[in-house]
Amino acid sequence: MKKPNFQAWLQQKVSDEPEVILAGKLEYLRLYLTDVMREIRNKAGLTQAQLAQKLGVKQAAVSKLESALKKHELESVLHYLHTLGADLLVAVKQGDDLYQASDNEGVLLVDVPDVVFQKALAANMSVREYVRVAVEKFSGEDDGLKTALVKLLESDDLVAVKVREGLGSRTIQEVAVELEKCLSLSEEDKIFAVKNLLAGNVAVAESNRGASSDEIDEIELLDLAEELLERLAKFFDKHI
């Protein structure tokens, strides 16, 4: 079932009167809150009668709590949510300051730029849903990229072997993290960033053998950087 777009409804300008604006905010809050309450009850697989039994009240009391036309006491809402294993996260925003006073301080609310709100609206999603999906997608990609880089650097590929020979005291995981940062750069900057990363590795290794870092062949490092980027492109095409 398609959820009502309460945000679009709230943004419709009705009046400039402060009392009317406040009434609209209160109505929006009740609409949104009761919609969420019904949704989490349904997800829990409970009818109003079953939840009423858990709360120790009559079904009419649950029906009243889930009605946007009724006023709600905060204690009753908290009891309802707590019974369903849900937390109430409350935030107060004044200018750029965001204050949270919730029953679960371990879960933090954050303010998001208007552009995020607009993207969520365009995707027909709540801001919370949009941010959650974006974070999950970013985290998944992030973990996948690190894993792929480590996998390549640990392989028997000749370029990977050359890179490992110059690791010095650094681990493959550490180099993979730095290499990931290099890959986020433009094509023009990427190769030089990778070259500098490899130069740092080789410098450590050469220093451990008593050689000067001035002896490092810049052309050889640049060639190795190009070869590594080529291997990465082929590796990602094949495994990701």
mmCIF file with all atom_site columns, all heavy atoms in Angstrom, residues 92-108:
data_model
loop_
_atom_site.group_PDB
_atom_site.id
_atom_site.type_symbol
_atom_site.label_atom_id
_atom_site.label_alt_id
_atom_site.label_comp_id
_atom_site.label_asym_id
_atom_site.label_entity_id
_atom_site.label_seq_id
_atom_site.pdbx_PDB_ins_code
_atom_site.Cartn_x
_atom_site.Cartn_y
_atom_site.Cartn_z
_atom_site.occupancy
_atom_site.B_iso_or_equiv
_atom_site.pdbx_formal_charge
_atom_site.auth_seq_id
_atom_site.auth_comp_id
_atom_site.auth_asym_id
_atom_site.auth_atom_id
_atom_site.pdbx_PDB_model_num
ATOM 1   N N   . VAL A 1 92  ? 14.256 18.444 18.850 1.00 0.00 ? 92  VAL A N   1
ATOM 2   C CA  . VAL A 1 92  ? 13.788 19.823 18.766 1.00 0.00 ? 92  VAL A CA  1
ATOM 3   C C   . VAL A 1 92  ? 14.831 20.621 17.998 1.00 0.00 ? 92  VAL A C   1
ATOM 4   O O   . VAL A 1 92  ? 16.014 20.607 18.349 1.00 0.00 ? 92  VAL A O   1
ATOM 5   C CB  . VAL A 1 92  ? 13.587 20.430 20.168 1.00 0.00 ? 92  VAL A CB  1
ATOM 6   C CG1 . VAL A 1 92  ? 13.152 21.887 20.044 1.00 0.00 ? 92  VAL A CG1 1
ATOM 7   C CG2 . VAL A 1 92  ? 12.567 19.619 20.969 1.00 0.00 ? 92  VAL A CG2 1
ATOM 8   N N   . LYS A 1 93  ? 14.404 21.301 16.933 1.00 0.00 ? 93  LYS A N   1
ATOM 9   C CA  . LYS A 1 93  ? 15.329 22.049 16.088 1.00 0.00 ? 93  LYS A CA  1
ATOM 10  C C   . LYS A 1 93  ? 15.061 23.538 16.204 1.00 0.00 ? 93  LYS A C   1
ATOM 11  O O   . LYS A 1 93  ? 13.937 23.992 16.050 1.00 0.00 ? 93  LYS A O   1
ATOM 12  C CB  . LYS A 1 93  ? 15.183 21.611 14.627 1.00 0.00 ? 93  LYS A CB  1
ATOM 13  C CG  . LYS A 1 93  ? 16.256 22.174 13.702 1.00 0.00 ? 93  LYS A CG  1
ATOM 14  C CD  . LYS A 1 93  ? 16.145 21.537 12.319 1.00 0.00 ? 93  LYS A CD  1
ATOM 15  C CE  . LYS A 1 93  ? 17.311 21.951 11.423 1.00 0.00 ? 93  LYS A CE  1
ATOM 16  N NZ  . LYS A 1 93  ? 17.356 23.389 11.167 1.00 0.00 ? 93  LYS A NZ  1
ATOM 17  N N   . GLN A 1 94  ? 16.107 24.286 16.498 1.00 0.00 ? 94  GLN A N   1
ATOM 18  C CA  . GLN A 1 94  ? 16.027 25.748 16.549 1.00 0.00 ? 94  GLN A CA  1
ATOM 19  C C   . GLN A 1 94  ? 17.202 26.302 15.765 1.00 0.00 ? 94  GLN A C   1
ATOM 20  O O   . GLN A 1 94  ? 18.353 26.200 16.185 1.00 0.00 ? 94  GLN A O   1
ATOM 21  C CB  . GLN A 1 94  ? 16.075 26.256 17.984 1.00 0.00 ? 94  GLN A CB  1
ATOM 22  C CG  . GLN A 1 94  ? 15.910 27.777 18.078 1.00 0.00 ? 94  GLN A CG  1
ATOM 23  C CD  . GLN A 1 94  ? 16.001 28.264 19.510 1.00 0.00 ? 94  GLN A CD  1
ATOM 24  O OE1 . GLN A 1 94  ? 16.843 27.801 20.274 1.00 0.00 ? 94  GLN A OE1 1
ATOM 25  N NE2 . GLN A 1 94  ? 15.129 29.191 19.871 1.00 0.00 ? 94  GLN A NE2 1
ATOM 26  N N   . GLY A 1 95  ? 16.917 26.867 14.597 1.00 0.00 ? 95  GLY A N   1
ATOM 27  C CA  . GLY A 1 95  ? 17.992 27.318 13.726 1.00 0.00 ? 95  GLY A CA  1
ATOM 28  C C   . GLY A 1 95  ? 18.814 26.128 13.252 1.00 0.00 ? 95  GLY A C   1
ATOM 29  O O   . GLY A 1 95  ? 18.273 25.162 12.724 1.00 0.00 ? 95  GLY A O   1
ATOM 30  N N   . ASP A 1 96  ? 20.122 26.189 13.478 1.00 0.00 ? 96  ASP A N   1
ATOM 31  C CA  . ASP A 1 96  ? 21.005 25.085 13.092 1.00 0.00 ? 96  ASP A CA  1
ATOM 32  C C   . ASP A 1 96  ? 21.244 24.105 14.228 1.00 0.00 ? 96  ASP A C   1
ATOM 33  O O   . ASP A 1 96  ? 21.987 23.138 14.065 1.00 0.00 ? 96  ASP A O   1
ATOM 34  C CB  . ASP A 1 96  ? 22.362 25.648 12.621 1.00 0.00 ? 96  ASP A CB  1
ATOM 35  C CG  . ASP A 1 96  ? 22.239 26.447 11.332 1.00 0.00 ? 96  ASP A CG  1
ATOM 36  O OD1 . ASP A 1 96  ? 21.342 26.129 10.533 1.00 0.00 ? 96  ASP A OD1 1
ATOM 37  O OD2 . ASP A 1 96  ? 23.030 27.382 11.139 1.00 0.00 ? 96  ASP A OD2 1
ATOM 38  N N   . ASP A 1 97  ? 20.639 24.345 15.388 1.00 0.00 ? 97  ASP A N   1
ATOM 39  C CA  . ASP A 1 97  ? 20.846 23.483 16.546 1.00 0.00 ? 97  ASP A CA  1
ATOM 40  C C   . ASP A 1 97  ? 19.765 22.405 16.612 1.00 0.00 ? 97  ASP A C   1
ATOM 41  O O   . ASP A 1 97  ? 18.577 22.686 16.438 1.00 0.00 ? 97  ASP A O   1
ATOM 42  C CB  . ASP A 1 97  ? 20.829 24.296 17.844 1.00 0.00 ? 97  ASP A CB  1
ATOM 43  C CG  . ASP A 1 97  ? 21.984 25.282 17.913 1.00 0.00 ? 97  ASP A CG  1
ATOM 44  O OD1 . ASP A 1 97  ? 23.079 24.922 17.449 1.00 0.00 ? 97  ASP A OD1 1
ATOM 45  O OD2 . ASP A 1 97  ? 21.778 26.397 18.414 1.00 0.00 ? 97  ASP A OD2 1
ATOM 46  N N   . LEU A 1 98  ? 20.199 21.182 16.881 1.00 0.00 ? 98  LEU A N   1
ATOM 47  C CA  . LEU A 1 98  ? 19.285 20.058 16.985 1.00 0.00 ? 98  LEU A CA  1
ATOM 48  C C   . LEU A 1 98  ? 19.448 19.422 18.362 1.00 0.00 ? 98  LEU A C   1
ATOM 49  O O   . LEU A 1 98  ? 20.543 19.017 18.741 1.00 0.00 ? 98  LEU A O   1
ATOM 50  C CB  . LEU A 1 98  ? 19.589 19.016 15.897 1.00 0.00 ? 98  LEU A CB  1
ATOM 51  C CG  . LEU A 1 98  ? 18.556 17.909 15.704 1.00 0.00 ? 98  LEU A CG  1
ATOM 52  C CD1 . LEU A 1 98  ? 17.279 18.475 15.094 1.00 0.00 ? 98  LEU A CD1 1
ATOM 53  C CD2 . LEU A 1 98  ? 19.108 16.813 14.793 1.00 0.00 ? 98  LEU A CD2 1
ATOM 54  N N   . TYR A 1 99  ? 18.362 19.364 19.124 1.00 0.00 ? 99  TYR A N   1
ATOM 55  C CA  . TYR A 1 99  ? 18.388 18.797 20.465 1.00 0.00 ? 99  TYR A CA  1
ATOM 56  C C   . TYR A 1 99  ? 17.573 17.508 20.478 1.00 0.00 ? 99  TYR A C   1
ATOM 57  O O   . TYR A 1 99  ? 16.478 17.462 19.929 1.00 0.00 ? 99  TYR A O   1
ATOM 58  C CB  . TYR A 1 99  ? 17.794 19.781 21.480 1.00 0.00 ? 99  TYR A CB  1
ATOM 59  C CG  . TYR A 1 99  ? 18.438 21.145 21.471 1.00 0.00 ? 99  TYR A CG  1
ATOM 60  C CD1 . TYR A 1 99  ? 17.926 22.159 20.654 1.00 0.00 ? 99  TYR A CD1 1
ATOM 61  C CD2 . TYR A 1 99  ? 19.543 21.428 22.255 1.00 0.00 ? 99  TYR A CD2 1
ATOM 62  C CE1 . TYR A 1 99  ? 18.507 23.414 20.630 1.00 0.00 ? 99  TYR A CE1 1
ATOM 63  C CE2 . TYR A 1 99  ? 20.128 22.693 22.248 1.00 0.00 ? 99  TYR A CE2 1
ATOM 64  C CZ  . TYR A 1 99  ? 19.611 23.679 21.424 1.00 0.00 ? 99  TYR A CZ  1
ATOM 65  O OH  . TYR A 1 99  ? 20.170 24.931 21.402 1.00 0.00 ? 99  TYR A OH  1
ATOM 66  N N   . GLN A 1 100 ? 18.120 16.489 21.112 1.00 0.00 ? 100 GLN A N   1
ATOM 67  C CA  . GLN A 1 100 ? 17.420 15.212 21.190 1.00 0.00 ? 100 GLN A CA  1
ATOM 68  C C   . GLN A 1 100 ? 17.077 14.882 22.636 1.00 0.00 ? 100 GLN A C   1
ATOM 69  O O   . GLN A 1 100 ? 17.907 14.993 23.521 1.00 0.00 ? 100 GLN A O   1
ATOM 70  C CB  . GLN A 1 100 ? 18.270 14.086 20.603 1.00 0.00 ? 100 GLN A CB  1
ATOM 71  C CG  . GLN A 1 100 ? 17.590 12.719 20.695 1.00 0.00 ? 100 GLN A CG  1
ATOM 72  C CD  . GLN A 1 100 ? 18.318 11.642 19.904 1.00 0.00 ? 100 GLN A CD  1
ATOM 73  O OE1 . GLN A 1 100 ? 18.861 11.909 18.847 1.00 0.00 ? 100 GLN A OE1 1
ATOM 74  N NE2 . GLN A 1 100 ? 18.325 10.431 20.420 1.00 0.00 ? 100 GLN A NE2 1
ATOM 75  N N   . ALA A 1 101 ? 15.820 14.514 22.845 1.00 0.00 ? 101 ALA A N   1
ATOM 76  C CA  . ALA A 1 101 ? 15.361 14.069 24.160 1.00 0.00 ? 101 ALA A CA  1
ATOM 77  C C   . ALA A 1 101 ? 14.511 12.835 23.937 1.00 0.00 ? 101 ALA A C   1
ATOM 78  O O   . ALA A 1 101 ? 13.296 12.921 23.773 1.00 0.00 ? 101 ALA A O   1
ATOM 79  C CB  . ALA A 1 101 ? 14.555 15.161 24.844 1.00 0.00 ? 101 ALA A CB  1
ATOM 80  N N   . SER A 1 102 ? 15.161 11.680 23.898 1.00 0.00 ? 102 SER A N   1
ATOM 81  C CA  . SER A 1 102 ? 14.481 10.452 23.511 1.00 0.00 ? 102 SER A CA  1
ATOM 82  C C   . SER A 1 102 ? 14.585 9.401  24.599 1.00 0.00 ? 102 SER A C   1
ATOM 83  O O   . SER A 1 102 ? 15.381 9.516  25.525 1.00 0.00 ? 102 SER A O   1
ATOM 84  C CB  . SER A 1 102 ? 15.087 9.904  22.214 1.00 0.00 ? 102 SER A CB  1
ATOM 85  O OG  . SER A 1 102 ? 15.067 10.887 21.197 1.00 0.00 ? 102 SER A OG  1
ATOM 86  N N   . ASP A 1 103 ? 13.767 8.356  24.442 1.00 0.00 ? 103 ASP A N   1
ATOM 87  C CA  . ASP A 1 103 ? 13.824 7.266  25.412 1.00 0.00 ? 103 ASP A CA  1
ATOM 88  C C   . ASP A 1 103 ? 14.935 6.283  25.085 1.00 0.00 ? 103 ASP A C   1
ATOM 89  O O   . ASP A 1 103 ? 15.133 5.302  25.783 1.00 0.00 ? 103 ASP A O   1
ATOM 90  C CB  . ASP A 1 103 ? 12.475 6.542  25.492 1.00 0.00 ? 103 ASP A CB  1
ATOM 91  C CG  . ASP A 1 103 ? 12.089 5.863  24.182 1.00 0.00 ? 103 ASP A CG  1
ATOM 92  O OD1 . ASP A 1 103 ? 12.592 6.305  23.141 1.00 0.00 ? 103 ASP A OD1 1
ATOM 93  O OD2 . ASP A 1 103 ? 11.291 4.911  24.208 1.00 0.00 ? 103 ASP A OD2 1
ATOM 94  N N   . ASN A 1 104 ? 15.672 6.532  24.018 1.00 0.00 ? 104 ASN A N   1
ATOM 95  C CA  . ASN A 1 104 ? 16.823 5.711  23.670 1.00 0.00 ? 104 ASN A CA  1
ATOM 96  C C   . ASN A 1 104 ? 17.930 6.624  23.158 1.00 0.00 ? 104 ASN A C   1
ATOM 97  O O   . ASN A 1 104 ? 17.992 6.941  21.982 1.00 0.00 ? 104 ASN A O   1
ATOM 98  C CB  . ASN A 1 104 ? 16.447 4.679  22.603 1.00 0.00 ? 104 ASN A CB  1
ATOM 99  C CG  . ASN A 1 104 ? 17.578 3.693  22.328 1.00 0.00 ? 104 ASN A CG  1
ATOM 100 O OD1 . ASN A 1 104 ? 18.715 3.908  22.727 1.00 0.00 ? 104 ASN A OD1 1
ATOM 101 N ND2 . ASN A 1 104 ? 17.265 2.618  21.639 1.00 0.00 ? 104 ASN A ND2 1
ATOM 102 N N   . GLU A 1 105 ? 18.801 7.060  24.062 1.00 0.00 ? 105 GLU A N   1
ATOM 103 C CA  . GLU A 1 105 ? 19.866 7.983  23.682 1.00 0.00 ? 105 GLU A CA  1
ATOM 104 C C   . GLU A 1 105 ? 20.948 7.303  22.853 1.00 0.00 ? 105 GLU A C   1
ATOM 105 O O   . GLU A 1 105 ? 21.815 7.954  22.298 1.00 0.00 ? 105 GLU A O   1
ATOM 106 C CB  . GLU A 1 105 ? 20.498 8.602  24.945 1.00 0.00 ? 105 GLU A CB  1
ATOM 107 C CG  . GLU A 1 105 ? 19.559 9.514  25.727 1.00 0.00 ? 105 GLU A CG  1
ATOM 108 C CD  . GLU A 1 105 ? 19.150 10.753 24.940 1.00 0.00 ? 105 GLU A CD  1
ATOM 109 O OE1 . GLU A 1 105 ? 19.881 11.131 24.005 1.00 0.00 ? 105 GLU A OE1 1
ATOM 110 O OE2 . GLU A 1 105 ? 18.093 11.324 25.255 1.00 0.00 ? 105 GLU A OE2 1
ATOM 111 N N   . GLY A 1 106 ? 20.886 5.971  22.791 1.00 0.00 ? 106 GLY A N   1
ATOM 112 C CA  . GLY A 1 106 ? 21.865 5.252  21.987 1.00 0.00 ? 106 GLY A CA  1
ATOM 113 C C   . GLY A 1 106 ? 21.603 5.363  20.502 1.00 0.00 ? 106 GLY A C   1
ATOM 114 O O   . GLY A 1 106 ? 22.466 5.059  19.684 1.00 0.00 ? 106 GLY A O   1
ATOM 115 N N   . VAL A 1 107 ? 20.390 5.791  20.134 1.00 0.00 ? 107 VAL A N   1
ATOM 116 C CA  . VAL A 1 107 ? 20.037 5.982  18.720 1.00 0.00 ? 107 VAL A CA  1
ATOM 117 C C   . VAL A 1 107 ? 19.949 7.477  18.475 1.00 0.00 ? 107 VAL A C   1
ATOM 118 O O   . VAL A 1 107 ? 19.114 8.158  19.049 1.00 0.00 ? 107 VAL A O   1
ATOM 119 C CB  . VAL A 1 107 ? 18.694 5.308  18.385 1.00 0.00 ? 107 VAL A CB  1
ATOM 120 C CG1 . VAL A 1 107 ? 18.361 5.504  16.910 1.00 0.00 ? 107 VAL A CG1 1
ATOM 121 C CG2 . VAL A 1 107 ? 18.747 3.828  18.719 1.00 0.00 ? 107 VAL A CG2 1
ATOM 122 N N   . LEU A 1 108 ? 20.834 7.980  17.629 1.00 0.00 ? 108 LEU A N   1
ATOM 123 C CA  . LEU A 1 108 ? 20.921 9.420  17.430 1.00 0.00 ? 108 LEU A CA  1
ATOM 124 C C   . LEU A 1 108 ? 20.164 9.880  16.195 1.00 0.00 ? 108 LEU A C   1
ATOM 125 O O   . LEU A 1 108 ? 20.188 9.230  15.150 1.00 0.00 ? 108 LEU A O   1
ATOM 126 C CB  . LEU A 1 108 ? 22.387 9.842  17.309 1.00 0.00 ? 108 LEU A CB  1
ATOM 127 C CG  . LEU A 1 108 ? 23.276 9.540  18.515 1.00 0.00 ? 108 LEU A CG  1
ATOM 128 C CD1 . LEU A 1 108 ? 24.709 9.994  18.249 1.00 0.00 ? 108 LEU A CD1 1
ATOM 129 C CD2 . LEU A 1 108 ? 22.742 10.218 19.770 1.00 0.00 ? 108 LEU A CD2 1
#
